[in-house]
Amino acid sequence: MSYISAVKRLIHNKKAYVRTFGCQLNENDGEKLQGLLSAMGYSLTEDPEEADFALLNTCAIRENAEKKTFGAIGVFKHYKEKNPGLVVAMSGCMTGEPHVLERLKTVYRHVDIVFGANNIEALPRLLFQHLTENRRVFDTDYDETVVTENIPTLHASSFKAGVPVMYGCNNFCTYCIVPYVRGRERSRNTEDILKEVRSLRESGYKEIMLLGQNVNSYMGGGEAFAALLEKVSDTGIERIRFMTSHPKDLNPQVLRVMAERDNICKCLHLPVQSGNNRVLASMNRRYTREKYLSIVEYARELMPDLSITTDIIVGFPGETTAEFEDTLSLLETVRYDAIFSFIFSPRKGTPAEKMKDVLTEKEKKANFERLLEVQNRISGEINKTYLGKVYRVLCEGTSKTDPFMMTGRTEGGKIVNFKGDASFVGQFADVKITETKTWNLQGEAICR
Ligand code: SAH
Ligand code: SF4
Ligand code: F3S
């Protein structure tokens, strides 16, 4: 890490701006990139116009994510005209796409430094090279067998944090760009993970989320993730969440450990993508609707209060409206607490990019609206059952619209708003639910 001190000697009183797009894993990378910048002596700013170093840590999951990023990167050309000393950098999943790299090289010539989602620790070296040699530096190379530990991290929150357990993905779902840009699966050592969780706990953190594109294939799968969960639970940290679980790899032992341990939240994000077996096969998901429903049934048997959420893709190539209706009926059967739904977006180089559509964009949008309608009704109905009950809520902050309203989450991940003041933030409170809506709950704190 000697490049950190080398850069530190070169810069004085400089400000850095970092903006991260995408999932929690990318957020975690963003926190490490901020940690590295801070170790190099930069102070961090939320205002890109006053920055001397600006980094966009990007996401490639859907086309609109990429469009947004190219828009944002364009703006830095103007900032650079005003401040020629500004260093502009780009990292994250988009830089793992060959066509994006080409565009950065030839069109977005104001971007000085480019690195990947898998070599974030290269930032100090690349920045040093850029500052001393005054040239553009591009480096997205990495060793797929190595997991780099001990990168300084600047967490956005002082009470909840993500803790990666594995990187990459081997599943190659036919619509998904992640395996191409994040590379093959590799797991962190259990001891390194436990050390991080213990140190977060000692610093006052209340909640952690174990992160991976498929946490169930931690250390190659089987019962390894269940064993890890037990050990993380033994650290005594108050709340443990994890995501994402691929249904084909969810070992029943994980559910048993969840049920047994009080500090593992009864909350499962289990992306189904579609309720139709032909579509699931075409997506290369490698489970059936029946297999998925049997996991849900077993999980609920063990944990009657379990919250279940999911991801759904509408308009996958070849999906007919009749097949889409199987997804609607699955929503009625499972009754998810919440869903995250997306209209299929073709990604360059993935098998689904070349598959033929049977529905028009307009028909896909109509199906998407039907999906939301069904889920809104179900979420509203489930939320009504919360009325009058008391839930333990971890207060996460002040409501954006009302400074006297606090917002937090139940163990099941439901958002609860209640009256309070800043002293609640980062603390647990027991909140009695007095009103329910489709997306959140309203309540009164009865004790802390
Ligand atoms: N590893 C996680 C998902 C990561 S991506 C998993 O396997 O569940 C998050 C979600 O984005 C996916 O679950 C999927 O619903 C959606 N998604 C991924 N690629 C997509 C695409 N090309 N178009 C639309 N949605 C997509
Ligand atoms: Fe993408 Fe599938 Fe891997 Fe999830 S499991 S990251 S959807 S390829
Ligand atoms: Fe996006 Fe990469 Fe995450 S594509 S969703 S930032 S793994």
Side-chain angles (χ1 to χ4, degrees):
M1 287 283 179
S2 67
Y3 282 107
I4 291 183
S5 33
V7 173
K8 202 168 183 173
R9 279 195 290 273
L10 289 178
I11 63 142
H12 301 283
N13 273 332
K14 299 274 190 206
K15 291 189 173 134
Y17 167 85
V18 178
R19 177 162 174 206
T20 294
F21 300 80
C23 62
Q24 271 106 332
L25 271 162
N26 216 36
E27 289 291 342
N28 188 264
D29 285 346
E31 293 181 346
K32 288 181 174 136
L33 291 163
Q34 294 202 331
L36 285 167
L37 286 162
S38 158
M40 287 186 278
Y42 284 92
S43 55
L44 289 151
T45 172
E46 309 249 311
D47 178 3
E49 284 193 70
E50 64 166 27
D52 305 287
F53 174 89
L55 169 66
L56 296 187
N57 185 33
T58 62
C59 170
I61 202 78
R62 282 170 289 274
E63 200 185 348
N64 59 0
E66 292 202 356
K67 275 203 183 127
K68 238 173 32 194
T69 306
F70 275 119
I73 207 92
V75 175
F76 283 96
K77 193 168 178 197
H78 302 297
Y79 294 156
K80 206 164 170 160
E81 278 158 12
K82 278 194 247 160
N83 171 14
L86 172 66
V87 178
V88 180
M90 190 159 149
S91 64
C93 291
M94 274 174 73
T95 70
E97 296 181 284
H99 74 276
V100 171
L101 269 187
E102 207 36 52
R103 218 164 136 188
L104 289 172
K105 278 189 182 141
T106 52
V107 182
Y108 292 81
R109 300 192 56 85
H110 62 288
V111 179
D112 303 296
I113 298 174
V114 173
F115 55 105
N118 299 306
N119 68 336
I120 56 175
E121 66 280 5
L123 172 62
R125 174 174 55 82
L126 302 177
L127 188 51
F128 180 78
Q129 284 171 345
H130 173 72
L131 292 173
T132 54
E133 296 166 26
N134 197 22
R135 62 179 175 94
R136 304 177 78 195
V137 279
F138 282 58
D139 182 357
T140 52
D141 287 347
Y142 68 102
D143 180 343
E144 248 173 16
T145 60
V146 176
V147 172
T148 308
E149 291 292 340
N150 302 319
I151 302 178
T153 308
L154 205 66
H155 288 294
S157 156
S158 58
F159 52 89
K160 67 173 205 174
V163 176
V165 303
M166 47 104 57
Y167 300 98
C169 182
N170 289 353
N171 289 314
F172 292 93
C173 302
T174 52
Y175 50 81
C176 185
I177 194 78
V178 171
Y180 302 89
V181 294
R182 289 261 166 184
R184 295 295 63 72
E185 285 178 359
R186 51 223 181 263
S187 295
R188 289 178 73 192
N189 291 327
T190 301
E191 259 325 302
D192 290 322
I193 296 167
L194 294 176
K195 207 168 82 187
E196 183 174 339
V197 175
R198 284 190 206 108
S199 123
L200 286 166
R201 180 174 182 258
E202 278 157 24
S203 324
Y205 281 78
K206 305 258 178 6
E207 180 176 304
I208 56 151
M209 184 179 272
L210 303 178
L211 298 174
Q213 289 301 346
N214 179 12
V215 290
N216 295 298
S217 60
Y218 177 68
M219 291 287 185
E223 295 197 352
F225 183 63
L228 175 71
L229 265 182
E230 272 183 318
K231 290 186 181 134
V232 172
S233 165
D234 285 340
T235 64
I237 189 119
E238 284 182 84
R239 264 188 183 178
I240 300 159
R241 303 184 188 279
F242 58 90
M243 80 184 253
T244 300
S245 287
H246 194 308
K248 82 176 164 60
D249 296 315
L250 181 69
N251 191 288
Q253 183 61 15
V254 167
L255 299 172
R256 291 192 280 268
V257 173
M258 273 177 91
E260 272 166 22
R261 300 296 183 115
D262 284 341
N263 59 350
I264 304 180
C265 293
K266 305 299 174 272
C267 186
L268 183 64
H269 183 60
L270 198 62
V272 68
Q273 315 298 356
S274 162
N276 175 273
N277 284 337
R278 191 202 62 80
V279 175
L280 285 173
S282 175
M283 288 175 164
N284 190 32
R285 289 293 285 180
R286 287 176 279 167
Y287 52 82
T288 58
R289 173 189 178 104
E290 293 72 28
K291 163 89 193 297
Y292 184 92
L293 288 174
S294 74
I295 300 172
V296 168
E297 195 182 343
Y298 184 60
R300 290 224 166 108
E301 226 170 80
L302 292 175
M303 296 168 276
D305 289 334
L306 182 68
S307 278
I308 306 181
T309 56
T310 202
D311 292 348
I312 285 171
I313 296 178
V314 175
F316 185 74
E319 185 185 61
T320 62
T321 291
E323 287 168 337
F324 162 75
E325 281 165 358
D326 287 342
T327 303
L328 290 184
S329 83
L330 184 102
L331 293 194
E332 302 284 0
T333 308
V334 176
R335 294 183 62 83
Y336 293 104
D337 288 80
I339 65 169
F340 302 88
S341 45
F342 313 98
I343 292 186
F344 169 75
S345 163
R347 309 314 297 132
K348 255 200 181 57
T350 62
E353 185 203 2
K354 306 244 152 41
M355 296 180 187
K356 294 262 173 299
D357 274 328
V358 294
L359 298 184
T360 62
E361 285 308 306
K362 206 172 151 204
E363 288 166 323
K364 290 182 178 188
K365 280 225 172 72
N367 285 346
F368 187 76
E369 293 303 322
R370 281 176 78 191
L371 184 85
L372 293 186
E373 220 171 275
V374 168
Q375 184 55 38
N376 286 353
R377 172 180 47 76
I378 295 173
S379 293
E381 284 167 4
I382 293 176
N383 283 353
K384 278 211 180 85
T385 66
Y386 279 61
L387 203 63
K389 295 185 187 147
V390 176
Y391 292 88
R392 193 156 186 253
V393 168
L394 177 58
C395 179
E396 297 189 355
T398 311
S399 146
K400 284 189 189 85
T401 48
D402 181 349
F404 296 105
M405 282 307 267
M406 310 310 292
T407 175
R409 272 174 204 274
T410 65
E411 177 182 343
K414 287 256 188 277
I415 295 175
V416 180
N417 298 317
F418 59 98
K419 269 210 184 72
D421 56 45
S423 70
F424 277 93
V425 179
Q427 306 293 325
F428 286 101
D430 287 335
V431 179
K432 185 170 178 180
I433 307 304
T434 53
E435 196 188 331
T436 69
K437 302 193 175 146
T438 310
W439 299 116
N440 61 47
L441 308 168
Q442 205 86 3
E444 277 163 19
I446 54 171
C447 92
R448 303 161 81 152

